[in-house]
Amino acid sequence: MHLTAPDERILAGEQGYVMQKAMEILVALGDIYGADRLIPVKSTQIAGVSYKTIGDAGLEWISDLSGMVRVPSILNPAGIDRLRWRELGVSEEFAAKQEQIIDAYEKLGVVAECTCTPYHLRDDIAEIGDHLAWSESSAVSYANSVIGARTNREGGPSALAAALIGKTPNYGYHLDENRIPSLAISVEGTLSGTDYGALGYIAGRIAGARVPVFSLESVPTNDERKALGAAMAASGAVALYYIEGLAPHPPGGERDARDIRERVTIEQREIAGVYDLHRCDPDLIALGCPHCSVDELVELRDLLAGKTVTKEFWICTSRTLRDRHPDIVAGIESSGAKVICDTCMVVSPMCAQYDCMMVASGKALAYVPQMCGTDAVLGRIKDCVRAAVGGE
Ligand code: F3S
């Protein structure tokens, strides 16, 4: 991989040990994947934040680093809501270690906003054509498939290396040749809301790591596209997908989609079947996977108006949206539901204390049993609210 003279000097250690190691990570990746050069990134989103997932080894690693990131960089969800972790039952020790991890990232100039939906915070963090180094799989899918930016699915160390250097190796989804769809998926019937997560749960298993293009009878909102991509990234490894008739389009335009030889159809009864995959009586209802947008918070406020929840009900979003919209949050919380920030129902250690979690997300349906050891059941948003207020 070609390096510029300044990058060669970083690699030689002229800017210190940490920058040298960051450059070594990028060069190693570039060499493995055949990148021709490093390209500038506009922003990074860094995984490896929750103490639950990185433990003491990760805390030690991040605490030893020094330097300053060169591009706007934010964090993936942590293991705690930084303000109400006690109320959720997190131990003092866990919270202290989690804060040490976040502090260590902040010292490197990373913004201590812990969310998988950085695109809800500010439009200019990723725009069409931008190159990024993002980690969280649903955020990667959204960046590639809804915004039309370009990012590989980075690990925590490679995203942090890209943040420190301001560049990433030019391979994978940064290149047109890897953004051409290779699987056409036709979906029968009209879908709405959680159906897109259920569709993604099925489609991810079929697609694996390929780039699918969907032919849909209904036009999804951006939140529904978020849910579709998140589920496909969890049940499979899809980092980029297209929807016929919607931007962004494949590099060769719709022509690329017409040339695809492998075609599958997903029927509505298969999508309906995802709601019946698991049956359990929820003792936690948890929404916001990926973190809720303002529109989703408004929908929940309206559904909860005049109601009182009788079960634990978490609604996960970013701290920025919570702080920007106190009236919406107050409306939701007047029902007894909790608007949780900085963390989520999967990376919080508290998920393990429940027996059955009801979710409205194909991604959470796939991850909760693995990450929490808890049964999970999929429901439409209205059904989740009904369950939370004591209904069937
Ligand atoms: Fe985000 Fe947690 Fe879901 S990181 S995508 S809310 S599993």
Side-chain angles (χ1 to χ4, degrees):
M1 184 171 70
H2 171 75
L3 291 182
T4 62
D7 288 344
E8 288 282 9
R9 289 197 290 275
I10 293 173
L11 190 62
E14 265 189 25
Q15 292 189 22
Y17 178 78
V18 172
M19 291 294 278
Q20 182 182 31
K21 290 292 153 198
M23 186 61 84
E24 281 176 6
I25 289 172
L26 300 183
V27 168
L29 277 173
D31 286 344
I32 289 167
Y33 291 107
D36 58 345
R37 64 202 157 98
L38 294 176
I39 49 173
V41 290
K42 186 171 197 190
S43 62
T44 75
Q45 189 256 358
I46 302 168
V49 181
S50 174
Y51 179 62
K52 173 179 162 182
T53 51
I54 70 170
D56 287 319
L59 168 58
E60 205 172 305
W61 178 75
I62 185 71
S63 301
D64 283 346
L65 301 182
S66 57
M68 191 52 63
V69 298
R70 294 186 176 180
V71 294
S73 298
I74 71 160
L75 295 175
N76 214 32
I80 58 169
D81 181 309
R82 298 183 72 191
L83 297 184
R84 58 198 308 189
W85 52 270
R86 273 196 190 84
E87 190 188 329
L88 295 175
V90 178
S91 72
E92 297 271 349
E93 188 198 351
F94 186 100
K97 299 257 189 181
Q98 184 63 75
E99 284 298 335
Q100 286 173 39
I101 292 169
I102 295 172
D103 283 354
Y105 278 115
E106 269 194 297
K107 283 197 187 105
L108 298 172
V110 180
V111 176
E113 170 77 72
C114 305
T115 183
C116 49
T117 55
Y119 44 86
H120 287 160
L121 312 185
R122 40 186 271 205
D123 289 341
D124 65 350
I125 201 152
E127 293 171 292
I128 189 162
D130 286 338
H131 294 276
L132 317 170
W134 287 13
S135 294
E136 198 282 319
S137 64
S138 77
V140 166
S141 174
Y142 194 95
N144 281 322
S145 315
V146 182
I147 297 171
R150 296 179 173 222
T151 178
N152 290 317
R153 183 176 173 177
E154 302 290 345
S158 66
L160 183 56
L164 290 165
I165 301 292
K167 296 179 182 178
T168 194
N170 189 32
Y171 73 94
Y173 295 107
H174 295 285
L175 302 173
D176 276 357
E177 68 213 52
N178 298 315
R179 298 180 68 90
I180 296 171
S182 56
L183 171 68
I185 300 179
S186 295
V187 182
E188 291 183 346
T190 56
L191 309 180
S192 69
T194 309
D195 294 341
Y196 284 95
L199 169 62
Y201 188 87
I202 301 168
R205 292 184 169 186
I206 297 169
R210 286 178 288 176
V211 178
V213 55
F214 286 89
S215 169
L216 298 174
E217 291 179 19
S218 39
V219 180
T221 64
N222 281 357
D223 282 327
E224 290 166 338
R225 294 167 80 177
K226 174 178 77 171
L228 172 61
M232 283 195 290
S235 67
V238 175
L240 164 65
Y241 70 93
Y242 298 97
I243 296 174
E244 270 179 24
L246 294 183
H249 303 290
E254 301 283 336
R255 178 178 50 80
D256 281 343
R258 283 197 297 273
D259 292 343
I260 297 170
R261 263 184 255 136
E262 191 177 350
R263 296 180 172 270
V264 295
T265 298
I266 295 178
E267 299 173 8
Q268 198 141 34
R269 67 171 176 79
E270 296 174 78
I271 294 166
V274 182
Y275 293 94
D276 294 326
L277 277 179
H278 308 279
R279 287 271 167 203
C280 56
D281 182 18
D283 49 357
L284 170 66
I285 292 92
L287 306 182
C289 172
H291 278 175
C292 282
S293 66
V294 177
D295 288 350
E296 290 170 317
L297 292 174
V298 167
E299 182 187 3
L300 285 162
R301 178 200 60 191
D302 294 347
L303 286 170
L304 284 163
K307 298 190 173 84
T308 302
V309 302
T310 57
K311 290 184 177 174
E312 187 74 2
F313 191 3
W314 296 355
I315 294 163
C316 303
T317 190
S318 61
R319 182 153 302 280
T320 295
L321 290 200
R322 186 192 160 98
D323 291 349
R324 263 186 214 158
H325 301 283
D327 294 348
I328 301 171
V329 171
I332 291 171
E333 295 199 327
S334 65
S335 71
K338 296 182 175 113
V339 177
I340 306 283
C341 304
D342 318 315
T343 185
C344 79
M345 69 291 279
V346 169
V347 296
S348 163
M350 302 323 293
C351 64
Q353 68 182 340
Y354 297 95
D355 293 323
C356 171
M357 192 187 306
M358 188 171 192
V359 297
S361 154
K363 174 168 179 174
L365 184 70
Y367 275 8
V368 162
Q370 297 169 30
M371 297 283 289
C372 305
T374 300
D375 282 344
V377 58
L378 185 71
R380 294 184 171 82
I381 302 276
K382 278 184 184 161
D383 295 330
C384 290
V385 169
R386 192 176 306 133
V389 300
E392 286 286 306

